[in-house]
Amino acid sequence: MRRRSSAILGLGFLLAAIGCGLPEGDAGRVNRAAARPSILLITIDTLRADHLSTYGYGLPTSPALSGLAERGTLFENAFSAASCTAPSHTSLMTGVMPSFHTVGAFNSKFPLEPEAATLAEQLAAAGYETAAVVSNPVLGPHLGLDQGFEVYDSDLRGREQNRDQPEQRVEAALEKARALLASPAFSGERPYFLWLHLQDPHGPYLPAAEAPTLIEAAAKRDMGEDQTVLPVGTDQSGYRAIPKYQVLPNLEGRVAAYVHRYDREIAHLDRQLGRFLEELEATGRLDNTLLAVTADHGEAFGEDGFYFAHGHSVGLDQVRVPLLLVGPGVPAGGRVSAPVSNLGWYATVLNIVGLGGDSAYPSLLESIAGSEGPVFVESLGQVGVALQGRFLRRDRVPAEDDAFWQAPNPTTGGFWKPLGRQLVSLPFLTGRDADLDDLLDGYLRRARVGMRQAADRRRGEIAHDDEDLRRLRALGYVN
């Protein structure tokens, strides 16, 4: 799909923001933009940070990402805004937490409002060539994230096993990216913004035949590390069972076998992505490019009783994600332990390009310099906050609120579960006391206002069914 960007910021404003006089016409704008870095964002679906060897996992799942981390800065405790694809990516592209944009915490139930100021729109108005390759149908044009992209490739030719749902493997996505970068539009006259979304290792876990075998993992687990066997679930929730769409032949519900396949998918993606980045390096494409690699959310491997599923909580298994940053102004070999949100990507890009703009979180370069503040995460059922080495999560509504908990999840067919309050220390950090409950209370007050405002902006455009209305009322969206 192709969509012309809407100029949400006037040209004069853009140029004033970088302290320059007005050039004449589009040619002047293109010339000014040519000195700016290109932007490459790679988001990997369903990727837990703690299953990357880059983050200390005991198996060699991500040697290519480890090499990339040596060239830039790795954030050891990075968080996604949400634990499912649509709200997380929408927040990445708008700099706005889910409660404050019209997609909300729902997974592709509602679209992004056309008036939203997306990163692609702002970069396009500043003279950037913009393109996206996405591999998950949730991110199709109906979601509204195509705003500002000259090319938005969501044409998915593959099919997912067990569900009649389109998808795209890493090889196909990277071939599309190679073709885009070889096209005349990406000849180098203008800097580019390319968003590349990779679906692997989202379930069903079906690693390619040539994926690394990680024999060490298979041997270790076969010797008895985890002999848990689960029944097949009646829905897709993964609560104490294998989600229906994850059921694979010959695995007999063995948790260790599923985890091993997940790891192999990561290793295969890492190998393919490493080759792609080596090609860009060899052709000079990375010489003046700001590159980020992150994920939209993680995956449950038994935490809170859920298996091979996401979206049901904001536990660390769900929202602690990888984040690597490489490019102009980014220290090589750096590591940041303090918690950050990957939403900081939005402000990072705008600041480096010279645009400025509002964002829920400051530039990641400020975090590299030592700045630290609370990091919030949310799902429909929970909210959480990380600060000073501790992470607190709580249910969003009381356990006795039947209006919320007894409304079925339209995505999985199951139900969210009240999970209570949990306080944990973050990896690589020593936990320090902080009044996290007060911070969460304050965020929830602001979020309720934001949700009502978002609902007002949607009103009249989207019809709600009875279950939607029950849940929206419980969350404070509608009266």
Side-chain angles (χ1 to χ4, degrees):
M1 173 181 178
R2 298 180 62 85
R3 172 182 285 197
R4 291 284 173 184
S5 61
S6 60
I8 56 172
L9 296 175
L11 180 58
F13 176 83
L14 287 170
L15 294 166
I18 58 175
C20 305
L22 282 170
E24 293 296 326
D26 287 344
R29 181 183 69 182
V30 170
N31 290 337
R32 296 208 57 82
R36 296 169 175 165
S38 290
I39 310 296
L40 175 57
L41 172 63
I42 300 172
T43 61
I44 302 173
D45 217 297
T46 322
L47 182 59
R48 291 175 63 130
D50 63 357
H51 273 248
L52 296 177
S53 47
T54 311
Y55 280 78
Y57 191 51
L59 296 166
T61 52
S62 58
L65 289 181
S66 296
L68 186 65
E70 293 175 0
R71 296 183 47 200
T73 293
L74 178 147
F75 296 85
E76 295 177 320
N77 286 294
F79 290 82
S80 58
S83 53
C84 50
T85 298
S88 181
H89 277 102
T90 302
S91 292
L92 270 176
M93 293 299 175
T94 61
V96 176
M97 287 292 289
S99 286
F100 301 86
H101 57 61
T102 54
V103 174
F106 294 83
N107 200 27
S108 202
K109 180 77 172 177
F110 308 118
L112 179 64
E113 58 190 319
E115 295 78 15
T118 69
L119 185 59
E121 286 178 302
Q122 297 185 69
L123 291 174
Y128 274 67
E129 193 69 37
T130 58
V133 176
V134 301
S135 304
N136 187 326
V138 167
L139 299 174
H142 66 280
L143 186 61
L145 291 188
D146 57 342
Q147 294 174 200
F149 284 105
E150 283 289 317
V151 176
Y152 194 85
D153 191 327
S154 58
D155 183 19
L156 310 181
R157 302 297 178 89
R159 307 300 298 182
E160 182 186 277
Q161 181 171 312
N162 297 342
R163 290 188 297 191
D164 186 25
Q165 186 159 294
E167 70 170 355
Q168 182 167 256
R169 301 301 297 266
V170 59
E171 294 88 347
L174 292 177
E175 281 307 306
K176 289 179 176 181
R178 290 183 177 99
L180 276 170
L181 292 172
S183 67
F186 287 82
S187 62
E189 290 185 13
R190 299 196 296 171
Y192 64 81
F193 170 38
L194 174 60
W195 169 31
L196 178 57
H197 167 265
L198 304 176
Q199 177 74 343
D200 323 52
H202 192 288
Y205 312 138
L206 294 166
E210 64 271 23
T213 56
L214 302 176
I215 294 299
E216 303 93 334
K220 185 177 181 182
R221 289 174 178 140
D222 285 348
M223 287 189 295
E225 181 186 81
D226 188 346
Q227 295 298 318
T228 303
V229 176
L230 296 173
V232 174
T234 58
D235 54 45
Q236 309 287 18
S237 70
Y239 187 64
R240 297 179 178 174
I242 305 291
K244 289 170 64 177
Y245 88 102
Q246 291 273 31
V247 175
L248 296 171
N250 304 319
L251 299 190
E252 300 172 345
R254 290 178 291 124
V255 168
Y258 279 86
V259 174
H260 179 54
R261 283 177 172 249
Y262 176 84
D263 289 344
R264 290 189 64 209
E265 286 228 49
I266 295 172
H268 178 66
L269 179 143
D270 179 82
R271 179 180 289 178
Q272 299 298 316
L273 183 57
R275 291 170 180 166
F276 175 72
L277 294 175
E278 286 175 0
E279 294 165 10
L280 296 187
E281 178 70 25
T283 57
R285 283 285 191 176
L286 296 183
D287 290 348
N288 187 32
T289 297
L290 180 68
L291 164 63
V293 179
T294 190
D296 54 352
H297 56 77
E299 186 85 314
F301 290 154
E303 295 87 353
D304 298 311
F306 286 86
Y307 291 85
F308 317 129
H310 46 266
H312 52 269
S313 83
V314 293
L316 292 181
D317 60 295
Q318 299 285 292
V319 292
R320 181 172 172 254
V321 295
L323 178 59
L324 309 176
L325 192 66
V326 179
V330 181
R335 297 181 80 91
V336 174
S337 296
V340 301
S341 172
N342 64 7
L343 264 66
W345 158 256
Y346 181 90
T348 306
V349 172
L350 294 184
N351 289 351
I352 285 180
V353 171
L355 297 180
D358 293 332
S359 174
Y361 293 97
S363 166
L364 294 171
L365 298 182
E366 294 185 28
S367 299
I368 292 173
S371 176
E372 182 178 354
V375 174
F376 296 98
V377 294
E378 57 182 307
S379 67
L380 277 173
Q382 288 201 308
V383 290
V385 60
L387 180 66
Q388 298 178 348
R390 293 291 184 97
F391 176 65
L392 172 69
R393 62 174 173 131
R394 300 187 327 218
D395 293 336
R396 199 160 192 160
V397 296
E400 60 271 16
D401 191 336
D402 292 343
F404 181 87
W405 299 109
Q406 293 188 13
N409 181 337
T411 303
T412 68
F415 294 85
W416 281 275
K417 304 289 183 183
L419 300 172
R421 180 184 184 276
Q422 183 186 47
L423 178 67
V424 298
S425 295
L426 293 175
F428 309 107
L429 285 170
T430 300
R432 288 178 283 164
D433 289 336
D435 205 342
L436 300 184
D437 281 295
D438 282 352
L439 286 171
L440 271 187
D441 290 342
Y443 180 77
L444 280 170
R445 286 193 294 270
R446 298 190 299 274
R448 290 188 187 104
V449 174
M451 289 188 293
R452 290 191 185 102
Q453 292 173 343
D456 286 342
R457 296 197 299 275
R458 287 196 304 256
R459 190 158 288 147
E461 300 178 10
I462 301 169
H464 301 291
D465 58 29
D466 290 342
E467 290 175 358
D468 277 342
L469 286 172
R470 282 201 296 166
R471 196 175 300 283
L472 288 166
R473 287 193 181 101
L475 288 170
Y477 271 93
V478 296
N479 296 320

